[in-house]
């Protein structure tokens, strides 16, 4: 008989930091959380040393870990669901490092360190891309020579899948609909942002692409842009591909437009009459409304539009700007409800044709739940 899984450690291992949370799965509660920083640059020398620190921080709790769930950036087309980190799967994962040269080595380093330190405890890989692997080709393929897909796997994969999946399940429960009958536009809006079109509980399109750079206007990423604009800038500024990558991923978006990547600062600036801040918020709201309209068409009419992430759960100002652009869908803002933050709340009026609902996401709990589900199979 399989051992019942009660305590799950969730690891989000980045290139220089490692975040962790521990869940009591019987109660469905978080019982510990922490962060190890500066891995390989002044702090612990590698991920194994970082995990030694986690074990020390957890004390007695470390001895009771039954399973470990790992956030892994990219499963490409190989992993359409979370999997046990068996030797065979780790071999397949090593081949996917090219899809996330910055994140994947750190993600896999976290798994390997756990295998060493938590001997005999099963590890599960939970992918940011998995939920989106049901996208049809018409949504996933780029209009370029198919040889780039065949040779290099260039296509849309999508990210934030764990969050989109979690809020899809939460929305179905809230709407009292079976998950395989629910149609949603899910909006994960935080420092990184993506929307997903969900038909019958499955993803049929999403705004991020081969990498998390595509789609929405984000904290430091530009989102959708004419590829020729990038080529022009590279040529004019004599940028290498790596420099262009940094420009578009780390020095663009809200940061480039306003000097801050944080929505709260930008709302504050806009309230004081700062024109760039006002423009940035309108660009953000416009692009979100544009995608919501498109995705509503793609799924044949949404049962609800869901907002989540730091901005979706909390920013009344941004939500108002988005919802005010959805009049053509018969949606009106409930101004009073929109003042509520960090909780499940219907943001649209009762007579709106499609409800807009804020639902807090919990990616770590979702990883813990998936870990239990995969190990029970
Ligand atoms: P995340 O990446 O999900 O943590 O979201 C970060 C974004 O959420 C930032 O742009 C924050 O400004 C925004 N945010 C977080 N809390 C609030 C809040 N209470 N009000 C408005 N925006 C918030």
């Amino acid at each position: 008989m399989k051992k019942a899984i009660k305590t799950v450690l969730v690891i989000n291992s980045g290139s220089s930091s490692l975040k962790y949370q521990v869940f009591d799965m019987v109660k469905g509660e978080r019982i510990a959380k922490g962060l190890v920083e500066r891995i390989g640059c002044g702090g612990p020398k590698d991920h194994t040393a970082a995990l030694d620190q986690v074990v020390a921080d957890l004390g007695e709790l470390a001895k009771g870990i039954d399973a470990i769930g790992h956030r892994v950036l990219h499963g490409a087309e190989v992993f359409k669901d979370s999997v046990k980190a068996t030797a065979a799967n780790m071999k397949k994962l090593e081949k996917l490092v090219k899809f996330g040269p910055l994140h994947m080595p750190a993600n896999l380093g976290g798994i390997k360190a756990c295998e060493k330190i938590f001997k005999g405890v099963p590890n599960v890989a939970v992918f940011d891309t998995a939920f989106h692997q049901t996208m049809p080709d018409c949504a996933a393929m780029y209009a370029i020579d198919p040889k780039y897909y065949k040779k290099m796997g260039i296509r849309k994969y999508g990210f934030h899948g764990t969050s989109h999946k979690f809020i899809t399940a939460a929305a179905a429960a809230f709407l009292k609909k079976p998950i395989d009958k629910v149609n949603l536009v899910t909006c994960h809006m935080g420092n990184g942002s993506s929307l997903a079109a969900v038909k019958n509980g499955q993803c049929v399109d999403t705004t991020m692409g081969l990498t998390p750079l595509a789609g929405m206007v984000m904290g430091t990423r530009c989102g959708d842009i004419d590829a020729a604009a990038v080529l022009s800038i590279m040529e004019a500024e004599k940028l290498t591909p790596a420099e262009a990558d940094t420009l578009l991923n780390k020095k663009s978006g809200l940061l480039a437009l306003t000097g801050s990547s944080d929505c709260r600062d930008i709302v504050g600036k806009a309230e004081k009459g700062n024109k760039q801040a006002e423009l940035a918020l309108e660009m953000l709201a416009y692009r979100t409304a544009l995608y919501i309209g498109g995705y509503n068409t793609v799924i044949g009419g949404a049962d609800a539009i869901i907002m989540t992430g730091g901005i979706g759960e909390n920013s009344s100002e941004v939500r108002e700007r988005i919802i005010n652009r959805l009049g053509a869908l018969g949606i009106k803002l409930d101004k009073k409800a929109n003042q509520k933050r960090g909780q499940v709340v219907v943001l649209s009026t009762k007579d709106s044709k499609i409800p807009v609902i804020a639902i807090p996401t919990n990616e770590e709990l979702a990883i813990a739940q998936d870990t239990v589900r995969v190990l029970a199979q």
Side-chain angles (χ1 to χ4, degrees):
M1 214 181 86
K2 281 187 177 136
K3 185 175 175 259
I5 291 171
K6 181 171 174 273
T7 310
V8 177
L9 171 64
V10 173
I11 300 279
N12 184 351
S13 173
S15 51
S16 69
S17 72
L18 187 150
K19 291 186 217 142
Y20 67 90
Q21 297 196 7
V22 181
F23 290 89
D24 176 331
M25 299 308 287
V26 177
K27 294 188 183 142
E29 273 174 18
R30 187 175 71 202
I31 49 177
K33 134 180 212 195
L35 165 70
V36 182
E37 286 180 290
R38 302 198 302 138
I39 301 169
C41 47
K45 80 170 185 334
D46 55 19
H47 286 91
T48 307
L51 263 184
D52 277 331
Q53 195 170 317
V54 173
V55 170
D57 291 350
L58 289 176
E60 276 300 300
L61 197 53
K63 292 182 192 144
I65 301 293
D66 298 315
I68 307 170
H70 297 262
R71 179 177 194 173
V72 177
L73 176 79
H74 222 301
E77 287 176 329
V78 180
F79 296 106
K80 298 183 195 299
D81 194 4
S82 308
V83 286
K84 253 181 104 166
T86 58
N89 282 334
M90 287 301 281
K91 247 193 185 165
K92 289 185 197 165
L93 275 165
E94 296 286 354
K95 293 198 181 129
L96 304 182
V97 166
K98 64 175 182 196
F99 287 107
L102 280 179
H103 292 88
M104 290 295 280
N107 299 161
L108 303 188
I111 299 177
K112 287 181 213 153
C114 282
E115 284 170 346
K116 264 193 235 162
I117 291 178
F118 293 92
K119 286 221 160 54
V121 177
N123 290 283
V124 171
V126 179
F127 302 96
D128 274 16
T129 49
F131 181 62
H132 304 300
Q133 295 316 300
T134 43
M135 271 188 289
D137 286 351
C138 63
M141 291 299 151
Y142 294 130
I144 53 174
D145 189 325
K147 75 178 180 196
Y148 296 110
Y149 165 64
K150 288 191 193 111
K151 270 199 215 160
M152 298 166 65
I154 304 278
R155 51 158 278 180
K156 183 191 278 196
Y157 293 98
F159 299 85
H160 290 140
T162 310
S163 178
H164 287 290
K165 185 177 164 190
F166 183 85
I167 55 169
T168 293
F174 183 84
L175 296 166
K176 300 194 171 61
K177 283 201 114 181
I179 196 149
D180 59 355
K181 298 247 160 27
V182 76
N183 289 352
L184 304 167
V185 180
T186 52
C187 313
H188 178 109
M189 297 183 288
N191 193 30
S193 297
S194 66
L195 266 62
V198 177
K199 190 173 172 65
N200 298 326
Q202 294 201 321
C203 177
V204 292
D205 202 356
T206 189
T207 55
M208 283 179 168
L210 171 73
T211 76
L213 181 58
M216 301 277 283
V217 177
M218 302 180 228
T220 63
R221 297 187 195 119
C222 61
D224 291 342
I225 186 170
D226 181 346
V230 178
L231 300 177
S232 295
I233 295 168
M234 285 179 74
E235 196 165 37
E237 304 257 331
K238 311 237 174 319
L239 300 184
T240 63
E243 287 165 342
D245 188 275
T246 303
L247 174 71
L248 300 172
N249 275 294
K250 304 231 164 90
K251 297 182 183 168
S252 295
L254 299 175
L255 177 67
L257 293 169
T258 70
S260 170
S261 62
D262 193 300
C263 239
R264 282 166 289 199
D265 296 343
I266 301 163
V267 167
K269 283 186 189 181
E271 278 167 1
K272 290 194 191 112
N274 181 308
K275 289 215 169 77
Q276 271 304 109
E278 178 61 31
L279 172 65
L281 292 174
E282 281 303 289
M283 286 169 72
L284 174 60
Y286 172 82
R287 202 174 294 178
T288 310
L290 188 65
Y291 271 115
I292 289 174
Y295 284 179
N296 184 57
T297 303
V298 159
I299 59 179
D303 297 317
I305 294 158
I306 312 299
M307 294 189 174
T308 198
I311 297 172
E313 291 166 32
N314 298 301
S315 180
S316 309
E317 296 84 359
V318 173
R319 294 190 307 210
E320 178 169 351
R321 285 173 192 257
I322 297 169
I323 295 172
N324 281 344
R325 288 177 175 273
L326 302 177
L329 298 180
I331 296 170
K332 273 187 276 174
L333 178 75
D334 181 335
K335 281 201 164 179
K336 198 164 159 226
N338 187 38
Q339 295 313 308
K340 295 189 185 153
R341 294 166 183 225
Q343 55 184 293
V344 176
V345 54
V346 179
L347 304 167
S348 49
T349 56
K350 283 212 173 70
D351 62 346
S352 290
K353 286 200 183 128
I354 306 171
V356 182
I357 312 166
I359 299 182
T361 193
N362 191 337
E363 289 173 280
E364 291 78 15
L365 176 61
I367 292 172
Q369 288 169 341
D370 240 32
T371 301
V372 173
R373 177 179 61 83
V374 165
L375 293 174
Q377 280 167 2

